[in-house]
Amino acid sequence: MGPLPRTVELFYDVLSPYSWLGFEILCRYKNVWNIQLQLRPSLIAGIMKDSGSLTAMRFLTAVNMEHPEMLEKASRELWMRVWSRDEDITDPQSILAAAEKAGMSTQQARGLLEKTSAPQVKNKLKETTEAACKYGAFGLPVTVAHVDGQTHMLFGSDRMELLAHLLGEKWMGPVPPGVGAKL
Amino acid sequence: MGPLPRTVELFYDVLSPYSWLGFEILCRYKNVWNIQLQLRPSLIAGIMKDSGNKPPALLPRKAQYLTNDVKLLRQHIQVPLQFPKDFFSVILEKGSLTAMRFLTAVNMEHPEMLEKASRELWMRVWSRDEDITDPQSILAAAEKAGMSTQQARGLLEKTSAPQVKNKLKETTEAACKYGAFGLPVTVAHVDGQTHMLFGSDRMELLAHLLGEKWMGPVPPGVGAKL
C-alpha cells in the first residue's frame, strides 16, 4: 500500500469568485495528487464582517452534514448562479433551483433547505468559519495542507502551484490534461 | 526574422518582497520567452497614497500570513528572502525613497546595471536585514553590483537632481495609470492589448497571455543561484 493521502482542507464561500477558482483547480487535482480534499463551507462575512451568502452557506453546511457526496456539485451550482449567470442566491427558491440542478430531488432539496435554520447547522457554519479564522484567515479561499506533521495555510486561488511544491506533487497548470474541466 | 518581442514592463520597489520574487522570475524568463523586459523602478509609498490602499502588513492576520508566505515562497522560488527583524520600522519609517531614486538614476544613465543594482538592494534589505536609506548603504550595494566607487558616487549625487526625482514620480504615476494599487505590477503588451497583472503569483497567467510555456518559477537551464 502506498503512502497515506495528505489532508487538504478548502475553506470557501460561494460569494467569493477566487474561492470558485481555487475550488475547481483542487477538484481537478483531487484524483491526480495523493490527497484527501475536505471541502469546508465557510462564511466570508464572518471573516470579513460583510454580508450576502448566509443562507447559501448554511444550506451547503447542511448538505455537508447530511449528503456530503452532493457538496461539490451543490457548491458549483451556487457559484454558477451568482458568479456566472448573475442570478440570486439569497431566496429559498434560488437555493432550491441550484440544488436541483446539482442533481437533488425536490424533496431532498426542500428537506435540506428546512434544516438550514436549525441550530446545529447554524453552529456548524460558525464553527467552520472559526476554524478558518484560527488558521489565520483574513479572507477566502483558504487552503490548509497537512504535510509531514506540518500545517500550511495558503490564501488565494493563486497558491496551488506552491501547494503542489509542498506536497511534492507535479503542477500541470490550472487545467491538468486528462481531467475533465468543462463547466 | 521571427515575431517581434512583446514588451513586458515590471513596476517594482525594493521595499516590496513580492516585487523581488516577480523580478527574479521575470529575469529568469526574459531570455526564454520572446519578450523585452523593461524594469520600472517605482515608489510603493506613492502608489499606496494615490490609490488609498494600505500596506497589507497593517492588518495583523495579513502580517502573520506574510511571514509564513515569504518562508514558503523563499524555498519554492529560490530567492533568499528573510524578514527584517524590525519590519514595521523598515517599511513604514525608513522606506525606500533614496534607494528608488538611486535606481532611477541608474536606469537613466547605466540601464545595463539596473538589474544587478536592484538585486543588491533587495539582498541588503530583504535578505541580510541591512539598511538601504543611508548613502553609504546605497554605495555598498552599487559596488557589490559591479560599479566602481566613482561611478556609484556619481549616480548617488544625481539622486537629488530634479530630473531624477521627477522621473521616479512619472514612473510611479504610470503604474497608477495602469491601475496599480500595490506592487509588483507587470504590464504585458500583447497583440495590441495591455494587461496589468498584480503580484508575483500571476506569472503563469502572463505565460498564458504571451502564448509561452510556463516551466515553474525556476525554469530548467536558467541559473537561479542567488
Side-chain angles (χ1 to χ4, degrees), chain B residues 60-165:
Chain B
R61 276 190 210 165
K62 282 190 184 180
Q64 179 58 52
Y65 181 73
L66 270 169
T67 59
N68 292 328
D69 198 37
V70 159
K71 278 199 199 107
L72 293 176
L73 291 174
R74 172 171 70 202
Q75 284 172 22
H76 179 52
I77 302 184
Q78 292 181 36
V79 172
L81 269 171
Q82 194 78 35
F83 247 78
K85 247 189 274 104
D86 195 352
F87 168 74
F88 283 107
S89 168
V90 168
I91 302 288
L92 299 176
E93 291 168 8
K94 299 176 77 178
S96 58
L97 188 56
T98 311
M100 297 319 295
R101 279 179 177 164
F102 179 76
L103 289 180
T104 301
V106 172
N107 198 20
M108 290 166 86
E109 307 240 332
H110 294 284
E112 73 286 355
M113 301 269 4
L114 181 58
E115 182 181 327
K116 287 191 167 165
S118 304
R119 181 173 292 122
E120 288 309 327
L121 282 164
W122 267 306
M123 285 292 218
R124 285 187 68 90
V125 62
W126 270 105
S127 193
R128 301 192 301 266
D129 198 5
E130 294 170 355
D131 171 78
I132 56 163
T133 61
D134 209 72
Q136 284 307 113
S137 307
I138 312 253
L139 283 178
E143 282 166 30
K144 238 184 147 95
M147 279 184 225
S148 68
T149 313
Q150 188 187 24
Q151 194 182 34
R153 282 195 196 282
L155 285 164
L156 193 56
E157 271 171 39
K158 299 220 164 77
T159 299
S160 40
Q163 309 95 290
V164 172
K165 291 182 176 183

Side-chain angles (χ1 to χ4, degrees), chain B:
Chain B
M1 179 179 130
L4 288 171
R6 283 73 55 85
T7 299
V8 174
E9 303 175 80
L10 176 69
F11 294 86
Y12 67 97
D13 184 326
V14 297
L15 211 60
S16 155
Y18 293 104
S19 284
W20 192 9
L21 294 171
F23 169 90
E24 293 300 352
I25 293 172
L26 286 175
C27 285
R28 288 166 189 162
Y29 275 97
K30 68 179 180 184
N31 295 323
V32 175
W33 291 342
N34 187 26
I35 59 172
Q36 200 202 47
L37 178 61
Q38 289 176 355
L39 299 177
R40 298 254 186 266
S42 316
L43 203 65
I44 197 167
I47 293 183
M48 291 288 166
K49 191 157 178 246
D50 193 66
S51 63
N53 195 10
K54 290 205 235 327
L58 289 181
L59 191 82
R61 276 190 210 165
K62 282 190 184 180
Q64 179 58 52
Y65 181 73
L66 270 169
T67 59
N68 292 328
D69 198 37
V70 159
K71 278 199 199 107
L72 293 176
L73 291 174
R74 172 171 70 202
Q75 284 172 22
H76 179 52
I77 302 184
Q78 292 181 36
V79 172
L81 269 171
Q82 194 78 35
F83 247 78
K85 247 189 274 104
D86 195 352
F87 168 74
F88 283 107
S89 168
V90 168
I91 302 288
L92 299 176
E93 291 168 8
K94 299 176 77 178
S96 58
L97 188 56
T98 311
M100 297 319 295
R101 279 179 177 164
F102 179 76
L103 289 180
T104 301
V106 172
N107 198 20
M108 290 166 86
E109 307 240 332
H110 294 284
E112 73 286 355
M113 301 269 4
L114 181 58
E115 182 181 327
K116 287 191 167 165
S118 304
R119 181 173 292 122
E120 288 309 327
L121 282 164
W122 267 306
M123 285 292 218
R124 285 187 68 90
V125 62
W126 270 105
S127 193
R128 301 192 301 266
D129 198 5
E130 294 170 355
D131 171 78
I132 56 163
T133 61
D134 209 72
Q136 284 307 113
S137 307
I138 312 253
L139 283 178
E143 282 166 30
K144 238 184 147 95
M147 279 184 225
S148 68
T149 313
Q150 188 187 24
Q151 194 182 34
R153 282 195 196 282
L155 285 164
L156 193 56
E157 271 171 39
K158 299 220 164 77
T159 299
S160 40
Q163 309 95 290
V164 172
K165 291 182 176 183
N166 279 336
K167 182 70 183 161
L168 177 59
K169 214 157 152 274
E170 278 171 27
T171 307
T172 305
E173 277 167 6
C176 288
K177 270 212 206 78
Y178 280 128
F181 49 85
L183 291 177
V185 153
T186 304
V187 181
H189 303 266
V190 195
D191 296 330
Q193 291 201 303
T194 299
H195 302 283
M196 187 281 266
L197 306 174
F198 168 67
S200 58
D201 42 28
R202 283 285 181 279
M203 300 308 176
E204 183 171 16
L205 178 57
L206 174 65
H208 170 83
L209 291 172
L210 294 167
E212 298 277 4
K213 191 165 158 61
W214 174 246
M215 293 173 284
V218 190
V222 181
K225 210 162 174 71
L226 289 181

Side-chain angles (χ1 to χ4, degrees), chain A residues 20 23-24 28 76 80 180-183:
Chain A
W20 192 8
F23 169 92
E24 293 301 352
R28 287 166 191 162
R76 182 174 290 119
M80 285 291 222
K182 209 161 175 71
L183 288 183

